[in-house]
Amino acid sequence: MTLPERKPLLLLALPSYDADEPEDVYVAMANGEWHGNRLAPDSADDLASALAAVADAAQETVTELLWQAWPLCAEHGLGMHPRDGDEQLSWWCAGERSSGGPAHIHAAVGALDAPVRRPRSDVNRAYPR
């Protein structure tokens, strides 16, 4: 949903190099490309760990293959990072709030439900004509 011009990311399972080991699982683009390390097999033992591992792997794949920060905070245009807080994994933005407050939670991981784009004025400022 946060990459509307692209097909959804997917989990890609590949055979392990060691026949006695489970498959290696990666977060990949729809075309099967991925970047980074496989998901740790023991991350599946705990739902919170699995969600954190998938969020980190998704961010690494998108950032490295598309050369863009992802996901972006709609308020600041900054890349966000997964962080544990208030008993749920959330996407955090380091940008200051207009009220002078510090970093803030943008959305729970898995709840980024709308395309996030930089406001038009920020794009014009960053790329003068």
Side-chain angles (χ1 to χ4, degrees):
M1 185 58 94
T2 60
L3 293 167
E5 67 281 357
R6 301 207 174 257
K7 293 181 180 176
L9 300 175
L10 53 90
L11 292 177
L12 178 67
L14 298 173
S16 174
Y17 289 110
D18 186 348
D20 297 332
E21 294 294 319
E23 293 177 313
D24 293 329
V25 178
Y26 300 88
V27 175
M29 304 298 291
N31 66 1
E33 289 182 279
W34 80 91
H35 187 279
N37 297 323
R38 67 185 170 91
L39 300 177
D42 63 349
S43 66
D45 296 343
D46 173 52
L47 184 57
S49 294
L51 183 60
V54 170
D56 282 335
Q59 186 174 47
E60 185 170 2
T61 291
V62 170
T63 300
E64 292 297 327
L65 294 179
L66 301 181
W67 285 79
Q68 69 183 58
W70 177 86
L72 292 179
C73 172
E75 183 178 346
H76 298 104
L78 298 173
M80 297 184 289
H81 298 279
R83 188 166 160 189
D84 239 346
D86 295 330
E87 298 182 24
Q88 73 177 10
L89 189 67
S90 299
W91 290 110
W92 281 73
C93 171
E96 291 186 13
R97 305 306 302 261
S98 56
S99 61
H104 62 100
I105 294 175
H106 180 73
V109 169
L112 291 173
D113 58 357
V116 178
R117 299 184 185 274
R118 286 185 127 179
R120 190 77 186 144
S121 61
D122 285 351
V123 172
N124 289 339
R125 214 173 327 146
Y127 303 102
R129 294 176 196 222

